[in-house]
Amino acid sequence: MIVVMEPGAPEKQIDTVVRRIEELGYRTHVLRGVEKTVIAALGDEREKMRLQALRSLEYVEDVVPILKPHKLASRTWKKESSLVPVGPDVAIGGPEFVVIAGPCSVESEPQIMETATVVKSMGARILRGGAFKPRTSPYAFQGLEEEGLRLLAKAREQTGLPIVTELLNPYHLEQVAEYADMIQIGARNVQNFALLKEVGRAKLPVLLKRGMSTTIDEFLMSAEYVLSEGNANVVLCERGIRTFETATRNTLDLAAVCVLKRHTHLPVIVDPSHGTGNWQYVTPMALAATGAGADGLMIEVHPDPTVAWSDGPQSLRPDKFRELMQKLRPFVAAAERTLAPMEG
Ligand code: PEP
Ligand code: MN
């Protein structure tokens, strides 16, 4: 349920309504808009008649149900698109189309430094790189772990780019949060509810990737776990789902971008690298994602994909990433967004 307060409702009265809702056994989230304040009552809606009684309180304009199973993620709760800040001067979901780029895994100091410098010069705004890798095989490279985090922080120091990196389990949260500007929850963990609750209590923004077999509704419910713990800074990432098709690694569901943008105020970005698994399809799908209304992209870039320790076949060489960024520019302009300039 949402309790809508009348414009100009005094703070004291808002507090009173919040207290009354909590006395009924609901959790509350208060959203102060320019004109009106709205209060979400989260909990078992079987008791909704008792919430309806709040209509009789002073300055309460309306009590309306949120019909979607996701509440805080829904546009019923928050009509304006959310802006998620990452580091001191980047925000996803606003006028700027934000490109996140970097290697699948952090492999060495020269590898991450070179990649960071190159992607920044071409207009990327956030550096990605895995330090803890979720690999299908336990014998595959699992990531440099804390050393990887240290190298990412060094790359941030050198380039000024904020960094996003994956958190695999709650035990590493403190360590990852010490280095990262944004925490990535990968496709394999999208329904790890214990992990979602932990990052919901963290201060850093969260990049939540869709699972390979997660429906859009389930994906939004995962976002709801993070939001309901108090972390409002969630960015959704479409990265392909599993279908009968085997010509691509996953089937990139670009229609999901339109569906998500309609039903949620959260920013939505697209990862055509994992979405296709083949570098040759990354640029066309990046352009298509921009056309579909995405707020940004996540692209895997490696100085030499032929020797990459993970996901070489889908990683772009620097010259191919430059080409992508050049081709992207008119698409971003057509979407009435801006793209950071390319240096030189
Ligand atoms: C990644 O981005 O490094 C990754 C492992 O992607 P996903 O979780 O989408 O498979
Ligand atoms: Mn990868």
Side-chain angles (χ1 to χ4, degrees):
M1 286 282 182
I2 307 177
V3 178
V4 186
M5 301 299 289
E6 284 174 4
E11 276 303 314
K12 207 163 151 262
Q13 187 60 15
I14 294 170
D15 287 347
T16 305
V17 176
V18 166
R19 224 174 318 113
R20 288 290 284 275
I21 298 171
E22 288 175 354
E23 278 164 14
L24 292 173
Y26 291 86
R27 285 160 74 194
T28 54
H29 274 258
V30 182
L31 189 66
R32 288 175 168 81
V34 189
E35 213 183 298
K36 286 178 189 175
T37 291
V38 291
I39 307 161
L42 302 167
D44 188 346
E45 295 219 345
R46 279 173 301 188
E47 298 272 356
K48 54 181 170 250
M49 285 318 290
R50 294 170 72 189
L51 281 173
Q52 290 293 354
L54 295 172
R55 276 176 201 275
S56 59
L57 290 177
E58 236 188 320
Y59 290 103
V60 170
E61 187 179 274
D62 207 356
V63 179
V64 287
I66 310 178
L67 297 172
K68 293 279 173 197
H70 51 276
K71 311 287 178 196
L72 299 174
S74 79
R75 278 214 192 257
T76 321
W77 158 243
K78 186 169 182 280
K79 286 197 175 39
E80 316 79 49
S81 295
S82 285
L83 198 59
V84 173
V86 183
D89 51 30
V90 180
I92 307 178
E96 183 176 4
F97 185 87
V98 175
V99 176
I100 304 173
C104 179
S105 312
V106 181
E107 299 168 7
S108 67
E109 184 165 337
Q111 177 245 15
I112 193 68
M113 290 301 175
E114 184 183 340
T115 313
T117 311
V118 154
V119 299
K120 178 176 181 192
S121 73
M122 293 169 188
R125 295 283 275 145
I126 300 172
L127 176 67
R128 63 147 287 145
F132 294 95
K133 294 303 300 175
R135 304 304 299 279
T136 303
S137 164
Y139 309 120
F141 173 57
Q142 304 284 307
L144 295 182
E145 305 191 344
E146 191 161 16
E147 176 59 10
L149 298 173
R150 266 196 290 271
L151 294 176
L152 282 167
K154 204 158 179 188
R156 169 179 53 204
E157 226 171 88
Q158 183 179 287
T159 59
L161 292 177
I163 53 186
V164 58
T165 195
E166 180 161 354
L167 173 70
L168 279 186
N169 65 62
Y171 314 116
H172 295 135
L173 176 56
E174 231 174 278
Q175 193 180 60
V176 169
E178 209 181 295
Y179 295 93
D181 298 286
M182 183 180 218
I183 297 174
Q184 178 171 322
I185 300 296
R188 291 153 192 81
N189 264 322
V190 71
Q191 288 191 312
N192 181 339
F193 302 119
L195 185 61
L196 295 175
K197 282 186 189 176
E198 286 297 326
V199 295
R201 292 191 275 265
K203 297 279 171 284
L204 289 175
V206 174
L207 178 64
L208 183 62
K209 298 189 85 174
R210 182 178 181 186
M212 46 274 274
S213 60
T214 312
T215 66
I216 292 173
D217 272 339
E218 287 164 347
F219 189 23
L220 287 170
M221 291 314 287
S222 293
E224 193 74 16
Y225 264 91
V226 182
L227 299 172
S228 68
E229 290 295 330
N231 190 343
N233 293 318
V234 179
V235 173
L236 304 172
C237 180
E238 162 59 40
R239 48 76 74 206
I241 50 175
R242 254 191 203 174
T243 66
F244 56 82
E245 185 54 74
T246 53
T248 48
R249 181 179 179 181
N250 291 290
T251 297
L252 189 62
D253 181 10
L254 287 183
V257 176
C258 316
V259 178
L260 287 167
K261 292 297 289 181
R262 177 176 169 208
H263 291 294
T264 179
H265 53 86
L266 298 172
V268 180
I269 69 164
V270 171
D271 169 358
S273 305
H274 293 91
T276 63
N278 182 331
W279 71 269
Q280 301 192 60
Y281 308 140
V282 170
T283 296
M285 286 298 101
L287 305 181
T290 313
D295 295 293
L297 295 169
M298 180 181 248
I299 309 287
E300 284 187 341
V301 179
H302 193 286
D304 182 1
T306 61
V307 297
W309 294 1
S310 59
D311 287 350
Q314 68 194 34
S315 299
L316 294 184
R317 272 194 332 240
D319 60 320
K320 293 292 175 194
F321 180 64
R322 166 184 276 272
E323 212 174 285
L324 182 158
M325 293 301 278
Q326 277 165 340
K327 287 187 174 165
L328 190 60
R329 209 155 286 278
F331 282 77
V332 171
E336 297 179 340
R337 312 289 277 267
T338 61
L339 190 64
M342 203 176 278
E343 289 167 10

